[in-house]
Amino acid sequence: VRELREGAKGKKFWSVDVKNAKLLMPSADVFADLLKGVRVLDVVRRGKFIVFVLSNHMRLVIHLRMTGRVMWHVEKGRDKYVVVTFTFSDATKLYFSDVRKFGRVWLYTEKEFEKVTGIHRLGPEPMELSKSDFVEIFYKRKGMLKNLLLRQDLITGVGNIYADEIAFRTGLHPQARMEKLSKTQIGKLFESVQYCLGEGIRHCGVSVSDFVGTKGNLGQHQHYLQVYGRKGLPCYRCKTAIVKTVAAGRGTFYCHICQSIN
DNA sequence: AGTCGCCTGGTA
DNA sequence: TACCAGGCGACT
């Protein structure tokens, strides 16, 4: 979003070329009709959604899901995955592509877009949250740690990699019961959430499989991961082999010595 | 809380 | 060839 803001803020849409209308809401026609001549006032983020604030009181919203990419060029051999091309009046082009087609693009009014996209159901931004508010959300909440961290309606932004990293840093098993944690433990969990997300942001994301920046630049945080993807490798804290299992329906990595189920 | 479906490509 | 993949909504 930071890169998109730098590159797109102030620009005016000239044309839109839709290659795969199925990922666009409400329709390809709406994109073509309503974007021409419209200026990008700002690009912001809400949870995992990219939000273009437009001069016609509409919002262009993109969710990358698994393999979506927003880039200033078409990558070699990936032409067939381009979903939509935005051309600005200065002739620069912005491409949204998606191999698996899970991503979504919406164009709605400022009144409608939150409900249509589901943004209105998102919890608070964890990096802008106080510890006491965080504790209030999770203290005595029934469920497993990882399931609850992944729930975007409680706090937004935590995905599979960061959930594992957060659990490891807190010394808690991903399947620890949240309702059994003390306020002190929840407070420590909060510190881990902010630390892990903060480091991920500082290192410009995790480029372990699909993520790349808008210019093809790779993130660096994959070099700093403590447990995710480290199955069979020695725990950085105790040297015991990291275990991989399935929790919350997702591949889950943890150290069975350092991370307690209580 | 678990499973499936959505899609396709990379890897064991 | 089977299985897995940083997401998420529907369904059980």
Side-chain angles (χ1 to χ4, degrees):
Chain A
V1 166
R2 203 185 304 121
E3 289 174 2
L4 285 171
R5 189 181 305 126
E6 276 174 36
K9 193 168 175 171
K11 286 188 178 169
K12 197 187 281 183
F13 287 102
W14 181 261
S15 63
V16 182
D17 181 19
V18 177
K19 292 286 205 309
N20 186 346
K22 286 199 278 279
L23 307 194
L24 273 51
M25 294 279 280
S27 73
D29 292 344
V30 168
F31 280 71
D33 295 343
L34 297 182
L35 279 181
K36 190 176 168 71
V38 170
R39 204 173 285 280
V40 177
L41 300 182
D42 205 355
V43 186
V44 298
R45 179 190 61 73
R46 178 69 178 96
K48 300 178 185 176
F49 294 82
I50 302 165
V51 180
F52 291 75
V53 181
L54 306 179
S55 60
N56 63 347
H57 299 284
M58 297 187 86
R59 301 288 184 271
L60 174 65
V61 180
I62 300 177
H63 197 307
L64 305 175
R65 295 280 178 95
M66 299 286 269
T67 53
R69 291 181 177 183
V70 181
M71 301 184 73
W72 296 102
H73 64 279
V74 181
E75 299 155 282
K76 288 193 294 285
R78 290 184 162 252
D79 197 78
K80 57 183 172 178
Y81 305 124
V82 173
V83 174
V84 54
T85 305
F86 302 99
T87 304
F88 295 101
S89 58
D90 65 354
T92 55
K93 289 172 182 286
L94 189 62
Y95 303 87
F96 172 66
S97 66
D98 192 349
V99 170
R100 292 175 71 180
K101 305 182 175 77
F102 292 165
R104 291 291 179 271
V105 188
W106 298 267
L107 180 61
Y108 281 93
T109 65
E110 59 191 345
K111 275 189 153 50
E112 301 171 303
F113 85 99
E114 291 196 324
K115 282 206 166 172
V116 174
T117 58
I119 285 177
H120 69 294
R121 288 186 264 110
L122 295 179
E125 293 287 337
M127 300 303 282
E128 298 164 10
L129 196 59
S130 69
K131 184 185 282 194
S132 61
D133 285 348
F134 183 93
V135 171
E136 192 151 328
I137 292 167
F138 289 105
Y139 184 57
K140 288 187 176 169
R141 185 171 288 274
K142 290 192 180 71
M144 298 195 295
L145 175 67
K146 181 162 180 174
N147 298 49
L148 296 174
L149 284 176
L150 291 173
R151 274 181 55 178
Q152 302 296 299
D153 60 329
L154 297 179
I155 57 165
T156 187
V158 175
N160 194 41
I161 292 179
Y162 291 104
D164 285 3
E165 295 294 306
I166 290 162
F168 177 81
R169 186 174 175 82
T170 318
L172 289 170
H173 193 288
Q175 291 169 308
R177 307 293 312 188
M178 186 73 78
E179 69 270 24
K180 296 183 79 172
L181 302 184
S182 67
K183 285 194 178 184
T184 304
Q185 284 177 301
I186 306 267
K188 193 174 178 201
L189 181 63
F190 172 73
E191 299 295 337
S192 301
V193 167
Q194 289 209 334
Y195 179 84
C196 292
L197 292 180
E199 287 297 281
I201 292 164
R202 195 165 72 81
H203 296 133
C204 299
V206 177
S207 290
V208 71
S209 58
D210 294 296
F211 173 73
V212 293
T214 60
K215 300 155 200 160
N217 43 314
L218 297 180
Q220 293 301 314
H221 194 56
Q222 64 276 18
H223 305 306
Y224 300 86
L225 295 176
Q226 298 295 296
V227 273
Y228 183 85
R230 301 198 65 249
K231 178 184 178 183
L233 297 172
C235 171
Y236 287 130
R237 191 170 160 274
C238 77
K239 310 297 180 202
T240 305
I242 297 297
V243 176
K244 183 182 185 186
T245 182
V246 175
R250 321 292 302 280
T252 297
F253 300 84
Y254 67 97
C255 171
H256 75 100
I257 299 296
C258 295
Q259 296 178 255
S260 88
I261 197 84
N262 300 314

